[in-house]
């Protein structure tokens, strides 16, 4: 009836007035783009906005501030409305990850989703060996990004080209920054790292490089982004059951205060053009 219609149009008004940045917890096994689409679908459905065959005169602008691998979970920063213009600063800012690496196995994707390309013994490696190697990967270092990645060549994602079986040349090593790197656990073949890094950094490459440095090989078993900019997984990331207009409105309010407190990091020359905020309409 009319009351229902009025409630829906109020919900739609509220939805289209949302503006700013908030964070969601990306579930495992979905691409960052798919998560955005799902979020968008949920919100439009809650607002009663028909998307099928509708030349949506009202476009819901939504984007994310940096891809998280589909096998990874954790903080995905989302911009809505005018917030989509602020996503670039999120790419450049610092991020924190917890990664579980596996010694003795290399894969083509550098994580557990790929095909095993190499197996090597690892029994000789001690906790001390691993801790010593981590020092080499702290500070300003050079890193070759993975072939399976969201970086682009000629307008197409490298991962798309790889899956089509096209020859993809490795990208050149580029400068990245590691603010801190520590070993949390060592239960061979598994080891757990906490990493805080700047823009354009790949944890998969780090784990692969650590394996080589130890004269074995290694790949990522699990990856969680625990923080991006001021957004933390524990405090700010909305889980799927909270993907509602009201929860997001509350989160935007809560988070606008966070962003004011965030020191503006100058975009370093090391930020990479291949890494762009993704905005879909």
């Amino acid at each position: 009836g009319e009351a229902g219609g009025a409630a829906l149009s109020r919900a739609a008004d509220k939805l289209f007035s949302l503006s700013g940045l908030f964070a969601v917890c990306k579930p495992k096994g979905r691409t960052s783009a798919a998560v955005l689409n799902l979020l968008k679908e949920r919100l439009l459905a809650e607002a009663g906005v028909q998307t099928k065959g509708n030349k949506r005169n009202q476009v819901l602008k939504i984007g994310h501030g940096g891809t998280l691998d589909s096998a990874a979970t954790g903080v995905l920063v989302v911009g809505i409305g005018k917030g989509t213009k602020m996503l670039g600063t999120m790419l450049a800012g610092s991020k924190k990850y917890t990664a579980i690496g596996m010694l003795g196995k290399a894969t083509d994707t550098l994580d557990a989703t790929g095909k095993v390309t190499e197996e090597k013994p690892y029994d000789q490696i001690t906790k001390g060996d691993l801790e010593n190697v981590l020092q080499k990967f702290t500070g300003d270092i050079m890193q070759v990004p993975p072939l399976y990645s969201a970086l682009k060549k000629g307008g197409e994602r490298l991962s798309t080209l790889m899956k089509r079986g096209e020859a993809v040349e490795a990208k050149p090593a580029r400068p990245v920054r590691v603010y801190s790197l520590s070993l949390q656990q060592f239960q061979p073949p598994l080891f757990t790292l906490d990493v805080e890094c700047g823009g354009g950094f790949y944890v998969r490459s780090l784990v692969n490089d650590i394996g080589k440095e130890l004269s074995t090989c290694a790949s990522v078993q699990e990856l969680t982004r625990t923080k991006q900019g001021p957004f933390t997984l524990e405090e700010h990331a909305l889980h799927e059951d909270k993907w509602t207009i009201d929860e997001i409105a509350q989160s935007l309010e809560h988070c606008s205060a966070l962003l004011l407190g965030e020191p503006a990091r100058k975009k370093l020359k090391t930020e990479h053009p291949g890494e762009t905020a993704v905005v879909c309409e």
Side-chain angles (χ1 to χ4, degrees):
E2 280 180 29
L8 281 179
S9 72
R10 268 201 307 278
D13 287 344
K14 185 165 185 178
L15 174 58
F16 287 106
S17 71
L18 295 177
S19 190
L21 295 182
F22 63 101
V24 297
C25 177
K26 189 189 91 59
K28 197 176 181 142
R30 281 209 176 104
T31 65
S32 298
V35 169
L36 270 198
N37 287 332
L38 182 64
L39 175 66
K40 200 168 176 176
E41 258 169 54
R42 291 263 184 98
L43 295 173
L44 290 168
E46 188 192 340
V49 178
Q50 292 297 314
T51 53
K52 297 271 184 289
N54 167 16
K55 295 263 186 292
R56 274 178 292 168
N57 43 7
Q58 280 180 305
V59 172
L60 183 61
K61 274 192 102 162
I62 197 166
H64 69 71
T67 305
L68 200 48
D69 295 337
S70 67
T73 64
V75 177
L76 187 67
V77 175
V78 178
I80 192 164
K82 291 199 174 72
T84 52
K85 297 198 170 38
M86 300 156 69
L87 289 167
T89 60
M90 285 297 117
L91 288 166
S94 82
K95 304 160 183 69
K96 281 186 182 170
Y97 296 89
T98 297
I100 299 176
M102 180 183 257
L103 292 169
K105 257 190 192 149
T107 71
D108 56 359
T109 58
L110 313 187
D111 69 12
T113 65
K115 289 196 281 288
V116 176
T117 53
E118 199 181 8
E119 295 195 55
K120 282 185 156 182
Y122 57 83
D123 334 345
Q124 69 286 6
I125 293 162
T126 66
K127 189 179 180 191
D129 294 336
L130 198 47
E131 283 172 333
N132 288 339
V133 150
L134 295 187
Q135 293 168 15
K136 292 191 179 177
F137 294 98
T138 306
D140 289 313
I141 61 168
M142 296 298 284
Q143 184 186 66
V144 176
L147 285 176
Y148 280 90
S149 73
L151 296 178
K152 294 190 172 163
K153 175 188 171 186
E156 283 201 277
R157 289 182 182 274
L158 292 185
S159 50
T160 310
L161 295 170
M162 291 288 289
K163 282 174 193 149
R164 268 214 309 264
E166 296 192 17
V168 176
E169 269 170 63
K171 290 253 175 188
R174 50 196 204 163
V176 289
R177 184 166 287 180
V178 180
Y179 296 101
S180 67
L181 177 58
S182 59
L183 181 65
Q184 296 303 314
Q185 250 188 325
F186 183 58
Q187 290 172 300
L190 300 179
F191 61 98
T192 305
L193 301 175
D194 276 350
V195 190
E196 183 174 5
C197 54
F201 183 86
Y202 280 90
V203 178
R204 286 180 291 138
S205 289
L206 169 72
V207 167
N208 182 59
D209 292 343
I210 285 171
K212 287 183 183 158
E213 195 65 40
L214 290 165
S215 305
T216 177
C217 50
S219 49
V220 169
Q221 273 309 99
E222 278 181 47
L223 181 62
T224 306
R225 182 150 66 195
T226 55
K227 190 169 190 270
Q228 183 172 9
F231 300 95
T232 67
L233 183 55
E234 280 182 2
E235 255 183 290
H236 310 109
L238 298 176
H239 288 258
E240 244 175 290
D241 57 337
K242 298 248 168 90
W243 293 359
T244 65
I245 296 168
D246 286 345
E247 287 284 355
I248 288 168
Q250 258 180 303
S251 194
L252 287 167
E253 234 173 279
H254 178 55
C255 293
S256 62
L258 267 187
L259 292 162
L260 292 171
E262 181 73 345
R265 280 181 192 268
K266 282 229 166 30
K267 236 176 145 51
L268 301 167
K269 281 280 188 294
T270 60
E271 303 312 337
H272 310 292
E275 202 193 6
T276 49
V278 180
V279 179
C280 63
E281 293 188 0

